[in-house]
Amino acid sequence: MALAGMAVLLFGSCEKTKSYSELLNEEEHAVNWFLADREIVPYVPEDSVFVTGENAPFYKMDEDGNVYMQVINRGDMTDRPEKGQTVIFRYMTRNIKDLYNGLPAPWIGNANDLSYVSDSFIYGNTAIPSTTVWGEGLQLPLGYVGYNSEVNLVIKSPMGMPEEMTSCLPYFYKIKYFKAEY
């Protein structure tokens, strides 16, 4: 009787947690759902000339499809970030998996209220904590756009923030990049 009770508890607790594989599968379904009604270009244009604007397509930015970018404004293409430079950014983000599951997914970030401090990272650095906290996905567009640019990004967990990686959470970002002025 005691063994049967323990078996029920063990199996019951196993059902409540999901494997990493299951979480990744859910993430994939959520991102596919989010992108389903949008035009997707499966490559970065060779000349890096993107269609821009609110109705622009989303470009697959990496081989694994972890980042998709819609260019709203390319910014100043004569003034582009170089590795080692501090890039300031303002953003709004939403959890795609919550949207997919019909849960509240409020916009969070600092773009709509200038009383919030801007965030930053060191472009091209993937080692220091102040930069890695944002994940690699936020830096990817800067190889193609200039300062004062605006992009929308879909970032899957492998290129997201560390806590997004472990929870397999994809996010939709609206980001503006600026040059740090000292």
Side-chain angles (χ1 to χ4, degrees), residues 78-182:
T78 61
D79 189 14
R80 297 177 60 185
E82 296 178 20
K83 289 189 178 194
Q85 288 183 323
T86 299
V87 175
I88 305 293
F89 68 99
R90 298 193 70 77
Y91 72 99
M92 297 301 291
T93 188
R94 296 177 86 179
N95 181 318
I96 293 173
K97 196 184 273 189
D98 283 351
L99 288 170
Y100 174 70
N101 289 319
L103 300 171
W107 287 102
I108 57 172
N110 62 12
N112 292 338
D113 188 343
L114 295 179
S115 68
Y116 290 129
V117 175
S118 296
D119 289 298
S120 66
F121 54 80
I122 307 299
Y123 179 55
N125 188 311
T126 57
I128 62 172
S130 62
T131 295
T132 58
V133 69
W134 296 106
E136 293 179 43
L138 288 185
Q139 292 193 34
L140 201 54
L142 294 173
Y144 305 96
V145 298
Y147 285 117
N148 301 314
S149 59
E150 181 179 355
V151 300
N152 292 334
L153 297 174
V154 171
I155 301 178
K156 291 182 186 177
S157 60
M159 297 288 277
M161 293 188 219
E163 63 270 13
E164 295 164 8
M165 289 181 200
T166 57
S167 302
C168 299
L169 294 175
Y171 279 85
F172 176 62
Y173 285 87
K174 293 177 176 264
I175 302 176
K176 294 179 182 178
Y177 297 104
F178 304 99
K179 187 174 192 172
E181 301 291 337
Y182 298 106

Side-chain angles (χ1 to χ4, degrees), residues 1 5 17 21 31 46-47 63 66 81 87 91 102 117-118 129 157 169:
M1 196 77 122
T17 59
S21 176
V31 170
E46 283 188 34
D47 57 5
E63 187 176 304
N66 288 318
V87 175
Y91 72 99
V117 175
S118 296
S157 60
L169 294 175

Side-chain angles (χ1 to χ4, degrees), residues 30-98:
V31 170
N32 289 343
W33 167 83
F34 186 81
L35 293 172
D37 294 336
R38 293 165 170 85
E39 180 184 354
I40 305 298
V41 176
Y43 55 86
V44 174
E46 283 188 34
D47 57 5
S48 295
V49 176
F50 296 89
V51 175
T52 62
E54 293 291 335
N55 295 316
F58 277 80
Y59 295 90
K60 181 179 173 184
M61 299 303 292
D62 66 314
E63 187 176 304
D64 296 324
N66 288 318
V67 179
Y68 291 83
M69 175 176 75
Q70 179 185 46
V71 181
I72 305 304
N73 177 349
R74 291 181 69 201
D76 185 352
M77 295 304 289
T78 61
D79 189 14
R80 297 177 60 185
E82 296 178 20
K83 289 189 178 194
Q85 288 183 323
T86 299
V87 175
I88 305 293
F89 68 99
R90 298 193 70 77
Y91 72 99
M92 297 301 291
T93 188
R94 296 177 86 179
N95 181 318
I96 293 173
K97 196 184 273 189
D98 283 351

